Amino acid sequence: MMVMRWLDRYLEETLSVVLLATIVFLVCANVAARHVFEASLPWGEELIGWVFIWFIWVAVSYVFRLDQHIEITLLRDLFPLFWSRVLHLVVRLMVVVFLLAVSVYCIDLIMNPMVRNQVSVVLQMPIPVYYASAPFGALLASIRILQNCWRSVHTPDSNVSGGTS
């Protein structure tokens, strides 16, 4: 149970830090290699792209966990508190449906034999690992949105956005 609590609290933060640190290290190593050895790392740019796309999807989930995504609240602010909260929940559930659709289509793409058997040009890594970032991040973000919806419904005195820090 303690592991689940730790994952719930720190999963995205830990992954984001590790992925961003990897990106910074690879960029610095590539720049140093260009200036010191006058040749860049042939695999550096491709690996940076791979790590960056995973970082983006993990960060999407992290910001949903905090319930801090940019949103336009003009319409929601026109309603009384109860209807504002209802609209907030409806919009969040629509985002979950969208993220689940993204996950389904990405998994379908990954299972496609044309994609499943591809490897990257330089690293020779399986392309499905690259594409798996989208369903991983979208499913994790969906879980975070549903957690916030649950908190919002069960905390009537809270503000409309029920995120945690």
Side-chain angles (χ1 to χ4, degrees):
M1 194 65 174
M2 191 182 304
V3 172
M4 290 303 287
R5 196 172 310 136
W6 186 91
L7 287 173
D8 182 48
R9 175 67 180 94
Y10 297 109
L11 176 64
E12 290 96 338
E13 290 177 26
T14 303
L15 287 175
S16 293
V17 167
V18 169
L19 294 170
L20 190 57
T22 303
I23 291 169
V24 169
F25 173 78
L26 289 170
V27 167
C28 290
N30 212 9
V31 168
R34 280 189 201 141
H35 290 302
V36 173
F37 303 114
E38 295 181 6
S40 64
L41 304 171
W43 46 267
E45 287 183 42
E46 187 173 301
L47 185 56
I48 289 168
W50 281 61
V51 175
F52 188 67
I53 195 70
W54 274 89
F55 170 73
I56 289 169
W57 278 106
V58 170
V60 163
S61 176
Y62 177 65
V63 177
F64 271 122
R65 183 177 73 79
L66 299 178
D67 204 9
Q68 295 293 315
H69 271 285
I70 295 173
E71 57 186 342
I72 299 171
T73 62
L74 177 68
L75 182 62
R76 191 176 76 195
D77 293 343
L78 295 174
F79 292 108
L81 181 61
F82 174 79
W83 292 109
S84 177
R85 290 178 65 136
V86 168
L87 182 60
H88 181 74
L89 289 173
V90 167
V91 168
R92 291 297 186 254
L93 293 175
M94 289 170 51
V95 171
V96 168
V97 169
F98 171 76
L99 290 171
L100 292 175
V102 166
S103 297
V104 167
Y105 286 116
C106 287
I107 291 169
D108 187 45
L109 178 67
I110 291 168
M111 294 300 167
N112 183 325
M114 294 274 298
V115 173
R116 191 175 51 221
N117 299 324
Q118 281 185 339
V119 294
S120 65
V121 176
V122 178
L123 295 172
Q124 295 296 303
M125 288 184 59
I127 292 295
V129 172
Y130 184 78
Y131 289 150
S133 63
F136 175 82
L139 290 171
L140 194 54
S142 297
I143 291 168
R144 296 310 188 172
I145 294 169
L146 293 172
Q147 286 177 327
N148 284 334
C149 288
W150 179 264
R151 276 188 212 101
S152 179
V153 167
H154 287 85
T155 312
D157 296 334
S158 71
N159 60 1
V160 172
S161 63
T164 61
S165 55

